[in-house]
Amino acid sequence: MISVLYRQYFLKYNYGYYTGKLDGISGSGTKAAIKKFQRGYGLSQDGIWGTKTNAKAVAVTKELQTLLNKYGAGLTVDGVLGQKTAAAIKTAQKKLGLTADGCAGQATWAKLRSGSGSSGSTSTASGGSSAHFAKSEFKCSCGGRYCNGYPAGNTSAKLLNILEKIRAYYGKSITITSGQRCATRNKQVGGVSGSAHTKGKAADIYIPGVTNTRAGRNAVVNLAYKYGAAYSYANTAQMGNAVHINV
């Protein structure tokens, strides 16, 4: 279990959950930051740095350290975010053309994970696909019985951009459980008439280890809105463990 001081380092330099002093004192500010971290990663939001929270923080830090080493950081991948890792974040940000604040936020994570400095912006979406999503993943599930597979043509670039940002946030692959639908297939699955799915502007997604819980699904819904979704919801009998996002 990492110490309170290193918890504060992690919470401060990973998405900036903590904004207080690095004093090693577990006060209300630290507890509130822990809750934010837990919410962001689909954990139980109790503000307690327990086994699961610690394990997630260590795993996240190890991934960050591994990515930073690709930019010459030379860090020991020990899962502890301290002064050296914080300094390495700032150095990498300078190399990547980002604001060098030492805080690994969404843009920093996205560029580090891309390995090429791409932030997953709308401009990366082309031809109904993007860096981590193939056009085929959004194909209508009627299997060609009622349409050519892509009744709306290309999937919305804005939607792809939001999905890329969510993927970068969690660092996990996303499964598209429902993408484009022709009118017939949409009716068969109980979709509303004129659903955004029929226009290539919606997707239902599943993220293993995240959307398996109500808290995780709610966190994804909140992220979708943060990144520009027009509408997002979950926790209905029809959705199961998936989250609906449309633009």
Side-chain angles (χ1 to χ4, degrees), residues 159 162-163 166 170 174-179 181 197 202-207 210-225 229 231-236 238-246:
L159 175 60
I162 291 171
L163 296 179
I166 293 174
Y170 287 107
I174 293 176
T175 298
I176 307 300
T177 61
S178 182
R181 299 175 191 157
H197 282 284
D204 298 339
I205 67 172
Y206 169 75
I207 308 174
V210 177
T211 60
N212 302 74
T213 66
R214 176 177 286 269
R217 293 189 291 274
N218 288 339
V220 174
V221 168
N222 290 335
L223 275 180
Y225 280 122
Y231 186 47
S232 181
Y233 69 88
N235 304 316
T236 66
Q238 185 178 5
M239 292 302 299
N241 287 337
V243 173
H244 173 86
I245 300 171
N246 77 50

Coordinates of all heavy atoms in Angstrom, one line a residue, residues 159 162-163 166 170 174-179 181 197 202-207 210-225 229 231-236 238-246:
L159 N -18.6 11.5 -33.2 CA -18.8 10.4 -32.3 C -17.5 9.6 -32.1 O -17.1 9.2 -31.0 CB -19.9 9.5 -32.9 CG -20.1 8.1 -32.2 CD1 -20.6 8.4 -30.7 CD2 -21.2 7.3 -32.9
I162 N -15.2 11.3 -29.7 CA -15.6 11.1 -28.3 C -15.2 9.7 -27.8 O -14.7 9.6 -26.7 CB -17.2 11.3 -28.1 CG1 -17.5 12.7 -28.3 CG2 -17.6 10.8 -26.7 CD1 -19.0 13.0 -28.4
L163 N -15.4 8.7 -28.6 CA -15.0 7.3 -28.3 C -13.5 7.2 -28.1 O -13.0 6.5 -27.2 CB -15.5 6.4 -29.3 CG -17.0 6.3 -29.5 CD1 -17.4 5.3 -30.6 CD2 -17.7 5.8 -28.2
I166 N -12.7 8.7 -24.7 CA -13.1 7.8 -23.6 C -12.1 6.6 -23.5 O -11.7 6.2 -22.4 CB -14.5 7.3 -23.8 CG1 -15.5 8.4 -23.7 CG2 -14.8 6.2 -22.8 CD1 -16.9 8.1 -24.0
Y170 N -9.6 5.7 -20.1 CA -9.6 4.4 -19.4 C -8.4 3.5 -19.8 O -8.0 2.6 -19.0 CB -10.9 3.6 -19.6 CG -12.0 4.2 -18.8 CD1 -13.0 4.9 -19.5 CD2 -12.1 4.1 -17.5 CE1 -14.1 5.5 -18.8 CE2 -13.2 4.7 -16.8 CZ -14.2 5.4 -17.5 OH -15.2 5.9 -16.8
I174 N -12.6 -0.6 -26.3 CA -14.0 -0.5 -26.2 C -14.7 -1.4 -27.2 O -14.3 -1.4 -28.4 CB -14.4 1.0 -26.4 CG1 -13.9 1.9 -25.3 CG2 -15.9 1.2 -26.6 CD1 -14.1 3.4 -25.5
T175 N -15.7 -2.1 -26.8 CA -16.5 -2.9 -27.7 C -17.7 -2.2 -28.1 O -18.5 -1.7 -27.3 CB -16.9 -4.2 -27.0 OG1 -15.7 -5.0 -26.7 CG2 -17.7 -5.1 -28.0
I176 N -18.0 -2.1 -29.4 CA -19.2 -1.5 -29.9 C -20.2 -2.5 -30.0 O -20.2 -3.4 -30.8 CB -19.0 -0.9 -31.4 CG1 -17.8 0.1 -31.4 CG2 -20.2 -0.1 -31.8 CD1 -17.9 1.3 -30.5
T177 N -21.2 -2.5 -29.1 CA -22.2 -3.5 -29.0 C -23.4 -3.2 -30.0 O -24.1 -4.1 -30.4 CB -22.8 -3.6 -27.6 OG1 -23.4 -2.4 -27.2 CG2 -21.8 -4.0 -26.6
S178 N -23.5 -1.9 -30.4 CA -24.5 -1.6 -31.5 C -24.0 -0.2 -32.1 O -23.8 0.7 -31.4 CB -25.9 -1.4 -30.9 OG -26.8 -1.1 -31.9
G179 N -23.8 -0.3 -33.4 CA -23.4 0.9 -34.1 C -24.5 1.4 -35.0 O -25.5 1.9 -34.6
R181 N -27.6 1.2 -37.6 CA -28.7 0.3 -37.8 C -29.6 0.8 -39.0 O -29.8 2.0 -39.1 CB -29.6 0.3 -36.6 CG -29.0 -0.2 -35.3 CD -30.1 -0.1 -34.2 NE -29.5 -0.2 -32.9 CZ -30.0 0.3 -31.8 NH1 -31.2 1.0 -31.8 NH2 -29.5 0.1 -30.6
H197 N -28.9 6.0 -34.2 CA -28.2 4.8 -34.8 C -28.4 4.7 -36.3 O -27.5 4.2 -37.0 CB -28.7 3.5 -34.1 CG -28.2 3.3 -32.8 ND1 -26.9 2.8 -32.5 CD2 -28.7 3.4 -31.5 CE1 -26.7 2.6 -31.2 NE2 -27.8 3.0 -30.6
A202 N -24.7 7.4 -33.4 CA -24.8 6.8 -32.1 C -24.1 5.5 -32.0 O -23.9 4.8 -33.0 CB -26.3 6.6 -31.7
A203 N -23.7 5.1 -30.8 CA -23.1 3.8 -30.6 C -23.4 3.4 -29.1 O -23.4 4.2 -28.2 CB -21.6 3.9 -30.8
D204 N -23.6 2.1 -28.9 CA -23.7 1.6 -27.6 C -22.4 0.9 -27.3 O -21.9 0.1 -28.2 CB -24.8 0.5 -27.5 CG -26.2 1.2 -27.8 OD1 -26.3 2.4 -27.7 OD2 -27.1 0.4 -28.2
I205 N -21.7 1.1 -26.2 CA -20.4 0.6 -25.9 C -20.3 -0.1 -24.6 O -21.0 0.1 -23.7 CB -19.4 1.8 -25.9 CG1 -19.6 2.7 -24.7 CG2 -19.4 2.6 -27.2 CD1 -18.5 3.8 -24.5
Y206 N -19.3 -1.1 -24.6 CA -19.0 -1.8 -23.4 C -17.5 -1.7 -23.2 O -16.7 -1.9 -24.1 CB -19.4 -3.3 -23.6 CG -18.9 -4.2 -22.5 CD1 -19.5 -4.2 -21.3 CD2 -17.8 -5.0 -22.7 CE1 -19.0 -5.0 -20.2 CE2 -17.3 -5.9 -21.7 CZ -17.9 -5.9 -20.5 OH -17.5 -6.7 -19.5
I207 N -17.2 -1.4 -21.9 CA -15.7 -1.3 -21.5 C -15.5 -2.3 -20.4 O -16.1 -2.2 -19.3 CB -15.4 0.1 -21.1 CG1 -15.8 1.1 -22.1 CG2 -13.9 0.1 -20.8 CD1 -15.6 2.6 -21.6
V210 N -15.2 -1.7 -16.5 CA -15.7 -0.4 -16.2 C -17.3 -0.3 -16.2 O -17.9 0.0 -15.2 CB -15.2 0.6 -17.2 CG1 -15.8 2.0 -17.0 CG2 -13.7 0.7 -17.2
T211 N -17.8 -0.7 -17.4 CA -19.3 -0.7 -17.5 C -20.0 -1.9 -16.9 O -21.2 -2.0 -17.1 CB -19.7 -0.4 -18.9 OG1 -19.2 -1.5 -19.8 CG2 -19.1 0.9 -19.5
N212 N -19.2 -2.7 -16.2 CA -19.9 -3.9 -15.5 C -20.6 -3.5 -14.3 O -21.5 -4.2 -13.8 CB -18.8 -4.9 -15.1 CG -17.9 -5.4 -16.3 OD1 -17.1 -4.7 -16.8 ND2 -18.2 -6.6 -16.7
T213 N -20.4 -2.2 -13.8 CA -21.1 -1.8 -12.6 C -21.8 -0.5 -13.0 O -21.5 0.2 -13.9 CB -20.1 -1.4 -11.5 OG1 -19.2 -0.3 -11.9 CG2 -19.2 -2.6 -11.2
R214 N -22.8 -0.2 -12.1 CA -23.7 1.0 -12.3 C -22.8 2.2 -12.2 O -22.9 3.2 -13.0 CB -24.8 1.0 -11.3 CG -25.6 2.3 -11.3 CD -26.8 2.2 -10.3 NE -27.8 1.3 -10.8 CZ -28.9 1.7 -11.5 NH1 -29.0 2.9 -11.9 NH2 -29.8 0.8 -11.9
A215 N -21.9 2.2 -11.2 CA -21.0 3.4 -11.0 C -20.2 3.6 -12.2 O -19.9 4.8 -12.6 CB -20.2 3.2 -9.7
G216 N -19.6 2.5 -12.8 CA -18.8 2.6 -13.9 C -19.5 3.2 -15.1 O -19.0 4.0 -15.9
R217 N -20.8 2.7 -15.3 CA -21.6 3.2 -16.4 C -21.9 4.6 -16.3 O -21.9 5.4 -17.3 CB -22.9 2.3 -16.6 CG -22.6 0.9 -17.0 CD -23.9 0.1 -17.3 NE -24.7 -0.1 -16.1 CZ -24.6 -1.2 -15.3 NH1 -23.6 -2.1 -15.5 NH2 -25.4 -1.3 -14.3
N218 N -22.2 5.0 -15.1 CA -22.5 6.4 -14.8 C -21.3 7.3 -15.1 O -21.4 8.4 -15.6 CB -23.0 6.6 -13.4 CG -24.4 6.1 -13.1 OD1 -25.2 5.9 -14.1 ND2 -24.7 5.8 -11.9
A219 N -20.1 6.8 -14.8 CA -18.9 7.5 -15.0 C -18.7 7.7 -16.5 O -18.3 8.8 -17.0 CB -17.7 6.8 -14.4
V220 N -19.0 6.7 -17.3 CA -18.8 6.8 -18.7 C -19.8 7.8 -19.3 O -19.5 8.6 -20.2 CB -19.0 5.4 -19.4 CG1 -19.0 5.6 -20.9 CG2 -17.8 4.5 -19.0
V221 N -21.0 7.8 -18.8 CA -22.1 8.7 -19.3 C -21.6 10.2 -19.0 O -21.7 11.0 -19.9 CB -23.4 8.5 -18.5 CG1 -24.4 9.7 -18.8 CG2 -24.0 7.2 -19.0
N222 N -21.0 10.4 -17.8 CA -20.5 11.7 -17.5 C -19.4 12.2 -18.4 O -19.3 13.3 -18.8 CB -20.1 11.8 -16.0 CG -21.2 11.7 -15.1 OD1 -22.3 12.0 -15.4 ND2 -20.9 11.2 -13.9
L223 N -18.5 11.2 -18.7 CA -17.4 11.5 -19.6 C -17.9 11.8 -21.0 O -17.4 12.8 -21.7 CB -16.4 10.3 -19.7 CG -15.4 10.2 -18.7 CD1 -14.5 8.9 -19.0 CD2 -14.4 11.4 -18.6
A224 N -18.9 11.1 -21.5 CA -19.5 11.3 -22.8 C -20.0 12.8 -22.9 O -19.7 13.5 -23.9 CB -20.6 10.3 -23.1
Y225 N -20.7 13.2 -21.9 CA -21.2 14.6 -21.9 C -20.0 15.6 -21.9 O -20.0 16.6 -22.6 CB -22.1 14.8 -20.7 CG -23.5 14.3 -21.0 CD1 -24.1 13.4 -20.1 CD2 -24.3 14.8 -22.0 CE1 -25.4 12.9 -20.3 CE2 -25.6 14.3 -22.3 CZ -26.1 13.4 -21.4 OH -27.4 13.0 -21.6
A229 N -20.9 14.9 -26.1 CA -22.1 14.1 -26.6 C -23.4 14.9 -26.4 O -23.5 15.7 -25.5 CB -22.2 12.8 -25.8
Y231 N -26.3 13.3 -26.1 CA -27.2 12.5 -25.2 C -26.4 11.2 -24.9 O -25.8 10.6 -25.7 CB -28.5 12.2 -25.9 CG -29.5 11.5 -25.1 CD1 -29.8 11.9 -23.8 CD2 -30.2 10.4 -25.6 CE1 -30.7 11.3 -23.0 CE2 -31.1 9.7 -24.8 CZ -31.4 10.2 -23.5 OH -32.3 9.5 -22.7
S232 N -26.5 10.8 -23.7 CA -25.9 9.6 -23.2 C -26.7 9.0 -22.0 O -27.2 9.8 -21.2 CB -24.5 9.8 -22.8 OG -23.8 8.6 -22.4
Y233 N -26.9 7.7 -22.0 CA -27.6 7.1 -20.9 C -27.2 5.6 -20.7 O -26.5 5.0 -21.6 CB -29.1 7.2 -21.1 CG -29.6 6.3 -22.2 CD1 -30.0 5.0 -22.0 CD2 -29.8 6.8 -23.5 CE1 -30.5 4.2 -23.0 CE2 -30.3 6.0 -24.5 CZ -30.7 4.7 -24.2 OH -31.2 3.9 -25.3
A234 N -27.5 5.1 -19.6 CA -27.2 3.6 -19.3 C -28.3 3.2 -18.2 O -29.2 3.9 -17.9 CB -25.8 3.5 -18.8
N235 N -28.0 2.0 -17.7 CA -28.8 1.4 -16.6 C -30.3 1.2 -16.9 O -31.1 1.4 -16.1 CB -28.7 2.3 -15.4 CG -27.2 2.5 -15.0 OD1 -26.5 1.6 -15.0 ND2 -26.8 3.7 -14.7
T236 N -30.6 0.8 -18.2 CA -31.9 0.4 -18.5 C -31.9 -1.1 -18.8 O -30.8 -1.7 -19.1 CB -32.5 1.1 -19.8 OG1 -31.7 0.7 -20.9 CG2 -32.4 2.6 -19.6
Q238 N -32.8 -2.7 -21.3 CA -32.4 -3.0 -22.7 C -30.9 -2.8 -22.9 O -30.3 -3.5 -23.7 CB -33.1 -2.0 -23.6 CG -32.9 -2.2 -25.1 CD -33.6 -1.3 -26.0 OE1 -34.3 -0.4 -25.5 NE2 -33.5 -1.5 -27.3
M239 N -30.3 -1.9 -22.2 CA -28.9 -1.6 -22.3 C -28.0 -2.6 -21.7 O -26.8 -2.8 -22.1 CB -28.5 -0.2 -21.8 CG -29.2 1.0 -22.6 SD -28.7 0.9 -24.4 CE -26.9 1.1 -24.2
G240 N -28.4 -3.2 -20.6 CA -27.6 -4.1 -19.9 C -26.3 -3.4 -19.3 O -26.4 -2.4 -18.7
N241 N -25.1 -3.9 -19.7 CA -23.9 -3.3 -19.2 C -23.3 -2.4 -20.2 O -22.1 -1.9 -20.1 CB -22.8 -4.4 -18.9 CG -23.1 -5.2 -17.7 OD1 -23.8 -4.7 -16.8 ND2 -22.6 -6.4 -17.6
A242 N -24.1 -2.0 -21.2 CA -23.6 -1.0 -22.2 C -24.0 0.4 -21.9 O -24.9 0.6 -21.1 CB -24.1 -1.4 -23.6
V243 N -23.4 1.3 -22.5 CA -23.7 2.8 -22.4 C -24.0 3.3 -23.8 O -23.2 3.1 -24.8 CB -22.5 3.6 -21.8 CG1 -22.8 5.1 -21.8 CG2 -22.2 3.1 -20.4
H244 N -25.1 4.1 -23.9 CA -25.5 4.7 -25.2 C -24.9 6.1 -25.3 O -25.0 6.9 -24.3 CB -27.0 4.7 -25.3 CG -27.5 5.5 -26.5 ND1 -27.6 4.9 -27.7 CD2 -27.8 6.8 -26.6 CE1 -28.0 5.8 -28.6 NE2 -28.2 7.0 -28.0
I245 N -24.3 6.4 -26.4 CA -23.8 7.7 -26.7 C -24.2 8.2 -28.1 O -24.1 7.4 -29.0 CB -22.2 7.7 -26.6 CG1 -21.7 7.3 -25.2 CG2 -21.7 9.1 -26.9 CD1 -20.2 7.0 -25.2
N246 N -24.7 9.4 -28.2 CA -25.0 9.9 -29.5 C -24.7 11.4 -29.6 O -24.6 12.1 -28.6 CB -26.5 9.6 -30.0 CG -27.5 10.5 -29.4 OD1 -27.4 11.7 -29.4 ND2 -28.6 9.8 -28.8

